[in-house]
Amino acid sequence: MNDIHVVILAAGQGTRMKSQLPKVLHPVGGVAMIERVLDVAASLSPATISLIVGHKSDLVRDALQHRSGLGFAIQEPQLGTAHALQQAEPLLKGRTGAVVLLSGDVPMLRSETLKALLEHHVSSRAAATVVTASVDRPYGYGRIVRQDGQLVRIVEERDASPVERQVREINSGIYAFELAPLFDALRGIASQNAQGEFYLTDLIGIYRGQNRVVETVTVRDSQEIRGINSRSELAEVNRVVRQTKNEELMAAGVTLVDPATTFVGPSVEVGADTVIHPGVVLEGQTKIGSACEIQPHVRIVDSTIGDRVAINSFCLLVGATVASGAAIGPFAHLRPDTIVGESARVGNFVELKKTTLGPGAKANHLSYLGDATIGANVNIGAGTITCNYDGTNKHTTIIEEGAFIGSDSQLIAPVRVGKGAFVAAGSSITEDVPAGALGIARGKQVNVEGWAKRKKTPTGGS
């Protein structure tokens, strides 16, 4: 074969999903199922990848804008799988080699299976090779009909006889085709079936009639060719994907206290001896170091966590970096571009946004620190706020090494607190505090003697 060309069928409406979102954009393990199919397709290093789209095709195109080199063809109206594949003909005109046909709603297919399919297809010089599997409940799938061990035809569920419906070997909808005779043969398919559609499976009979070689490759684990047509099937596939990822982590030395309630995305990395408690969600490009402890009900997205980090319950980290030995939470919120230094402490109900908290620094209680650079060993008192927004622009607060910020202080940016300086509790700091100085900015206290007694004395009435 000179080239490999992948065609992905993604035009279906997915009516049983009952969704305004195209079926192939629904997430599996945190990733749209069409993205998973494209990733496994890319493992073949194909010359071209083409998607056949239809229902809400603009949404599918928009979701895949970040991927370069994709070809698109519209199937409208949608008249069956053979008709769908025909729409790829203009995209493949003048090409040679093999076409690998995938379904956009089969997200668990492994790259090893695709490579085995292609190797067998090429070595057997087949015109068509079909991926099959044996399942306990074949309802809804096309059945593989064999004679003397050879595939003679594929019959769809609605057209199958009672005897054929007892067959447990099913058609996965995944194929390899020799490109040269493909589109001429597709034009010979009729729509004389229960659905009134042009079935791609009829191509097998046509090729057999032309004495062309038709082969099969059978997968051992039928889960990987499982399609998704409903919300319940989506949930079940998500469960399988989550379980697979969790088993990989545990085999690598990660402790999952309750794998059934732990969600870890496909790209997440976790170091050995880290303990993950129930209800934890790890998503995106998150990387967790070794010997960490992540307490229940923590969500971490696109963040990097060092070694020996403790993240207490009910924390949210998005786009943050936490250095080794730090402690976060409970109930802390680390927003994008936040950096927490080594052995630093972010405590209860503290929010950081685009802020660097230096090594050994502490913000233990009830504070908002936004657009701030905070040096090593700084102590941030409870209730401190960096007032970073003037209604039009964001401004930066700088707190240098060893400074002490008293409780219930507001630092109104742009402002700098120098090295080793102190800010008195209850201050509203609008000017820089020099190194080693004490900044006080609060109203003078006045005590009114006897006020409480007079307040309680009746002023009149009967």
Side-chain angles (χ1 to χ4, degrees):
M1 295 293 180
N2 297 323
D3 290 311
I4 302 166
H5 308 279
V6 174
V7 176
I8 302 173
L9 304 186
Q13 185 172 354
T15 54
R16 284 198 283 159
M17 298 291 288
K18 300 189 185 304
S19 175
Q20 295 299 311
L21 189 69
K23 179 172 65 171
V24 297
L25 295 184
H26 281 265
V28 170
V31 179
M33 62 177 85
I34 188 63
E35 295 273 15
R36 286 179 170 270
V37 177
L38 285 166
D39 286 343
V40 76
S43 70
L44 295 177
S45 300
T48 64
I49 299 179
S50 304
L51 281 83
I52 311 303
V53 294
H55 177 64
K56 295 193 173 180
S57 60
D58 54 332
L59 295 182
V60 178
R61 287 175 178 263
D62 289 347
L64 299 176
Q65 283 186 43
H66 62 287
R67 289 183 178 263
S68 61
L70 298 180
F72 290 89
I74 300 289
Q75 184 192 18
E76 191 62 45
Q78 291 158 30
L79 302 176
T81 49
H83 178 256
L85 182 53
Q86 280 183 291
Q87 310 316 303
E89 186 172 12
L91 298 173
L92 297 177
K93 187 175 181 180
R95 300 281 189 171
T96 59
V99 173
V100 176
L101 183 67
L102 306 178
S103 294
D105 60 358
V106 180
M108 292 194 290
L109 188 67
R110 298 182 308 124
S111 59
E112 292 83 358
T113 297
L114 271 193
K115 291 173 183 176
L117 164 66
L118 197 58
E119 289 172 3
H120 184 73
H121 177 75
V122 172
S123 64
S124 62
R125 299 182 181 274
T129 304
V130 186
V131 175
T132 75
S134 293
V135 298
D136 294 330
R137 295 181 294 174
Y139 178 78
Y141 289 95
R143 306 304 203 278
I144 299 297
V145 179
R146 295 182 182 271
Q147 183 176 334
D148 298 327
Q150 296 296 311
L151 172 63
V152 293
R153 65 191 183 103
I154 303 173
V155 58
E156 298 296 340
E157 171 80 28
R158 293 192 180 189
D159 302 303
S161 68
V163 173
E164 289 168 336
R165 289 181 182 178
Q166 300 303 310
V167 174
R168 293 175 51 218
E169 187 179 11
I170 63 166
N171 171 33
S172 69
I174 299 162
Y175 305 84
F177 297 111
E178 183 186 354
L179 181 53
L182 178 60
F183 291 107
D184 284 341
L186 288 175
R187 283 185 277 273
I189 293 176
S191 60
Q192 296 174 349
N193 50 64
Q195 293 284 83
E197 295 182 348
F198 297 90
Y199 288 162
L200 183 58
T201 49
D202 290 348
L203 188 62
I204 303 304
I206 291 175
Y207 277 171
R208 294 285 295 184
Q210 295 174 350
N211 292 319
R212 296 185 184 274
V213 177
V214 176
E215 287 288 323
T216 61
V217 170
T218 302
V219 296
R220 292 183 178 180
D221 183 4
S222 62
Q223 291 282 14
E224 71 171 289
I225 62 165
R226 184 170 181 173
I228 297 175
N229 294 296
S230 66
R231 301 277 185 162
S232 61
E233 291 176 351
L234 178 65
E236 180 62 22
V237 169
N238 266 301
R239 184 193 64 78
V240 172
V241 169
R242 184 173 69 245
Q243 179 179 332
T244 300
K245 177 67 176 183
N246 288 349
E247 288 175 353
E248 291 175 359
L249 291 176
M250 290 186 286
V254 178
T255 295
L256 302 183
V257 175
D258 183 9
T261 62
T262 302
F263 176 88
V264 183
S267 299
V268 172
E269 300 176 15
V270 184
D273 292 322
T274 286
V275 178
I276 299 176
H277 289 265
V280 170
V281 177
L282 307 177
E283 299 178 279
Q285 302 301 313
T286 292
K287 296 182 179 179
I288 310 289
S290 62
C292 296
E293 183 163 14
I294 304 177
Q295 291 285 343
H297 307 295
V298 168
R299 182 178 179 225
I300 304 175
V301 184
D302 294 327
S303 297
T304 300
I305 312 299
D307 300 333
R308 305 177 308 283
V309 172
I311 302 180
N312 294 294
S313 295
F314 302 105
C315 291
L316 172 60
L317 286 69
V318 180
T321 300
V322 180
S324 297
I328 310 295
F331 294 99
H333 184 185
L334 274 54
R335 293 167 57 190
D337 300 319
T338 287
I339 301 173
V340 177
E342 187 170 351
S343 301
R345 165 73 180 167
V346 178
N348 307 273
F349 299 102
V350 175
E351 179 180 354
L352 276 65
K353 190 275 292 186
K354 202 174 182 180
T355 287
T356 298
L357 187 67
K362 299 175 183 178
N364 279 324
H365 319 281
L366 303 159
S367 297
Y368 170 71
L369 306 172
D371 296 279
T373 300
I374 301 170
N377 301 311
V378 168
N379 188 90
I380 303 292
T384 296
I385 300 172
T386 59
C387 304
N388 57 334
Y389 185 50
D390 63 7
T392 302
N393 299 305
K394 297 288 180 71
H395 300 282
T396 300
T397 296
I398 299 174
I399 305 173
E400 295 183 357
E401 178 182 351
F404 182 97
I405 310 300
S407 297
D408 196 29
S409 295
Q410 299 87 47
L411 307 179
I412 301 173
V415 70
R416 177 188 292 267
V417 178
K419 182 177 180 180
F422 282 72
V423 170
S427 293
S428 292
I429 300 297
T430 59
E431 299 178 1
D432 291 354
V433 179
L438 170 63
I440 306 174
R442 60 193 183 201
K444 182 178 179 180
Q445 180 174 327
V446 177
N447 297 327
V448 181
E449 296 292 339
W451 184 89
K453 184 177 180 180
R454 293 197 299 274
K455 175 69 174 175
K456 295 177 181 179
T457 301
T459 57
S462 57

